[in-house]
């Protein structure tokens, strides 16, 4: 066991040493991505909130999803922008823990919301006559609250378990702080952290994914045995959700593999891109998938754009 202490800051060592105009170019690209993510998701949140025709369970769950996209990207991008311009890539211990909490809550909340959405689609397609009875406004509010509260509590405990750990180092080989990197720096026994981390992963990732696949198996059975109208409804409403889930699973899978296995044979630029994939591409993809593919939302967005153009003219 080496010398241990509680460090007041951590060094993010994965930042590439770009300087001059190249550094500002990366800053502008990342800033543009963040603005695009925030504006596109907030626009859809506003569209759903102000249009009573969209106050249906599916769109309310989508609104919760868009809020989570803004929350997750905000957990990454502000600090990322500061670090790109900074000469010394350090972050205070408290800010590092806050980022861990925000990013992991976002990831757990994304899986929870996607599983709730799959359950909603399952009831809508497999039990259409009982849908309004089964999916009441109170039940919608409860499901949205649980999709936020459960990840919040699980990740809060995960983050608090890091606090008492004495560290033998303060170098994190990433562009942001994550739980596994902090636990690896600990000098003391981390059995509790590892066991709870496994429990958290099962409850926030594996269980929701199993639920999503189970509901889609049921939906597919109904589609193959149902009418053409049923199949069209399933395709129009389920395709964006399934694409979103697969995309997010891909991003999270690479992040888990990178944390657990030696990825030095992969170029560092590719490793950095893939490590932030689930925090950048998912918030960008969700507004495109749901805003363009769901006819109700796309029609309202087009009307809003046309009205704006008329006002400007």
């Amino acid at each position: 066991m080496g010398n241990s202490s509680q460090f007041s800051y951590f060094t993010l060592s994965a930042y590439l040493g770009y300087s001059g105009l190249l550094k500002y170019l990366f800053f502008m690209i990342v800033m543009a991505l963040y603005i695009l993510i925030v504006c596109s998701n907030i626009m859809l949140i506003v569209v759903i909130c102000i249009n009573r025709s969209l106050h249906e369970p599916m769109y309310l769950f989508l609104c919760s999803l868009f809020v989570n996209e803004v929350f997750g990207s905000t957990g990454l991008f502000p600090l990322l922008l500061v670090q790109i311009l900074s000469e010394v890539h350090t972050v205070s211990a408290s800010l590092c823990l806050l980022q861990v909490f925000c990013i992991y809550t976002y990831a757990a909340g994304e899986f929870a919301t996607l599983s709730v959405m799959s359950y909603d689609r399952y009831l809508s397609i497999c039990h259409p006559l009982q849908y309004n009875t089964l999916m009441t406004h109170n039940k919608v509010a409860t499901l949205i609250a649980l999709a936020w509260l459960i990840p919040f509590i699980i990740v809060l405990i995960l983050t608090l378990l890091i606090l008492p750990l004495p560290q033998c180092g303060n170098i994190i080989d990433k562009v942001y702080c994550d739980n596994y990197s902090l636990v690896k720096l600990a000098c003391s026994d981390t059995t509790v952290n590892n066991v709870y981390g496994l429990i958290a992963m099962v409850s926030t990732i594996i269980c929701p994914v199993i639920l999503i696949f189970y509901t889609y198996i049921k939906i597919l059975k109904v589609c193959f045995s149902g009418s053409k109208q049923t199949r069209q409804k399933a395709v129009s409403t389920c395709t964006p959700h399934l694409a979103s889930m697969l995309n997010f699973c891909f991003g999270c899978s690479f992040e888990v593999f990178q944390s657990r296995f030696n990825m030095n044979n992969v170029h560092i630029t590719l490793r950095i891109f893939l490590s932030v994939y689930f925090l950048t591409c998912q918030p960008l993809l969700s507004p495109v998938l749901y805003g363009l593919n769901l006819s109700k939302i796309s029609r309202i967005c087009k009307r809003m754009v046309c009205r704006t153009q008329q006002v400007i003219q």
Side-chain angles (χ1 to χ4, degrees), residues 276-295:
V276 298
Y277 181 89
F278 75 105
L279 290 162
T280 53
C281 290
Q282 185 71 8
L284 276 172
L285 188 64
S286 290
V288 174
L289 281 174
Y290 298 107
L292 296 179
N293 280 283
L294 297 179
S295 57

Side-chain angles (χ1 to χ4, degrees), residues 227-298:
S227 63
K228 183 180 179 180
Q229 185 179 2
T230 303
R231 287 195 295 271
Q232 288 175 341
K233 179 184 177 183
V235 169
S236 64
T237 60
C238 295
T239 300
H241 177 261
L242 191 58
S244 179
M245 193 272 292
L246 292 174
N247 177 70
F248 194 65
C249 283
F250 167 76
C252 290
S253 297
F254 180 83
E255 180 55 20
V256 171
F257 290 144
Q258 181 176 236
S259 298
R260 266 64 178 180
F261 303 103
N262 184 6
M263 303 289 288
N264 290 332
N265 57 329
V266 180
H267 194 275
I268 186 170
T269 305
L270 181 60
R271 288 209 313 269
I272 292 172
F273 171 76
L274 291 175
S275 69
V276 298
Y277 181 89
F278 75 105
L279 290 162
T280 53
C281 290
Q282 185 71 8
L284 276 172
L285 188 64
S286 290
V288 174
L289 281 174
Y290 298 107
L292 296 179
N293 280 283
L294 297 179
S295 57
K296 271 191 176 182
I297 293 181
S298 61

Side-chain angles (χ1 to χ4, degrees), residues 112 115-116 118-119 206-217:
S115 64
V116 167
S118 71
Y119 172 66
I206 295 176
C207 288
V209 169
I210 290 173
L211 175 62
I212 291 168
F213 278 114
Y214 173 78
T215 55
Y216 270 91
I217 289 171

Side-chain angles (χ1 to χ4, degrees), residues 4 21 37 61 71 104 153 168 172 189 203-204 208 215 246 267 272 274:
S4 63
L21 292 176
I37 288 170
F61 293 138
F71 173 72
Y104 279 67
I153 294 172
C168 288
I172 298 175
D189 182 35
S203 58
T204 60
T215 55
L246 292 174
H267 194 275
I272 292 172
L274 291 175

Side-chain angles (χ1 to χ4, degrees), residues 46-93:
V46 171
V47 166
I48 292 171
C49 289
I50 67 175
N51 287 275
R52 295 187 63 84
S53 63
L54 297 180
H55 292 182
E56 300 173 10
M58 180 174 69
Y59 299 107
L60 295 176
F61 293 138
L62 276 177
C63 188
S64 177
L65 184 73
F66 297 142
V67 172
N68 193 49
E69 307 296 9
V70 175
F71 173 72
S73 57
T74 302
L76 171 72
F77 279 96
L79 183 59
L80 189 64
L81 289 167
V82 171
Q83 293 295 328
I84 289 173
L85 293 181
S86 178
E87 297 295 332
V88 181
H89 304 297
T90 59
V91 57
S92 66

Side-chain angles (χ1 to χ4, degrees), residues 29-258:
I29 292 172
V30 174
M31 174 67 83
L33 282 173
Y34 182 49
I35 292 173
L36 182 60
I37 288 170
V38 171
C39 290
S40 59
N41 281 281
I42 287 180
M43 183 188 75
L44 291 175
I45 292 167
V46 171
V47 166
I48 292 171
C49 289
I50 67 175
N51 287 275
R52 295 187 63 84
S53 63
L54 297 180
H55 292 182
E56 300 173 10
M58 180 174 69
Y59 299 107
L60 295 176
F61 293 138
L62 276 177
C63 188
S64 177
L65 184 73
F66 297 142
V67 172
N68 193 49
E69 307 296 9
V70 175
F71 173 72
S73 57
T74 302
L76 171 72
F77 279 96
L79 183 59
L80 189 64
L81 289 167
V82 171
Q83 293 295 328
I84 289 173
L85 293 181
S86 178
E87 297 295 332
V88 181
H89 304 297
T90 59
V91 57
S92 66
S94 57
L95 192 57
C96 191
L97 287 172
L98 178 62
Q99 187 175 51
V100 169
F101 173 77
C102 290
I103 289 175
Y104 279 67
T105 302
Y106 157 72
E110 192 82 359
F111 279 113
T113 305
L114 289 172
S115 64
V116 167
M117 290 170 65
S118 71
Y119 172 66
D120 173 67
R121 291 301 84 206
Y122 162 73
L123 291 181
S124 175
I125 294 168
C126 299
H127 303 281
L129 299 179
Q130 296 85 26
Y131 178 75
N132 291 329
T133 305
L134 295 171
M135 191 59 73
T136 62
H137 289 296
N138 288 336
K139 190 170 185 179
V140 171
T142 301
L143 289 172
I144 291 175
L146 289 175
W148 280 90
L149 186 60
I150 292 174
F152 181 91
I153 294 172
I154 290 174
V155 177
L156 180 62
I157 296 171
L158 185 76
T159 308
L160 291 175
L161 286 174
I162 305 173
L163 283 175
L165 295 177
Q167 290 114 17
C168 288
N170 65 339
I171 308 295
I172 298 175
D173 188 26
K174 285 192 176 181
V175 295
Y176 62 88
C177 299
D178 74 301
N179 173 73
Y180 191 70
S181 295
L182 293 176
V183 171
K184 283 197 299 185
L185 293 174
C187 294
S188 61
D189 182 35
T190 59
T191 302
V192 174
N193 300 76
N194 293 329
V195 170
Y196 184 79
L198 184 61
I199 294 171
M201 185 174 70
V202 170
S203 58
T204 60
I205 299 177
I206 295 176
C207 288
V209 169
I210 290 173
L211 175 62
I212 291 168
F213 278 114
Y214 173 78
T215 55
Y216 270 91
I217 289 171
K218 292 289 187 180
I219 289 170
L220 285 173
K221 285 183 178 180
V222 171
C223 288
F224 284 123
S225 60
S227 63
K228 183 180 179 180
Q229 185 179 2
T230 303
R231 287 195 295 271
Q232 288 175 341
K233 179 184 177 183
V235 169
S236 64
T237 60
C238 295
T239 300
H241 177 261
L242 191 58
S244 179
M245 193 272 292
L246 292 174
N247 177 70
F248 194 65
C249 283
F250 167 76
C252 290
S253 297
F254 180 83
E255 180 55 20
V256 171
F257 290 144
Q258 181 176 236

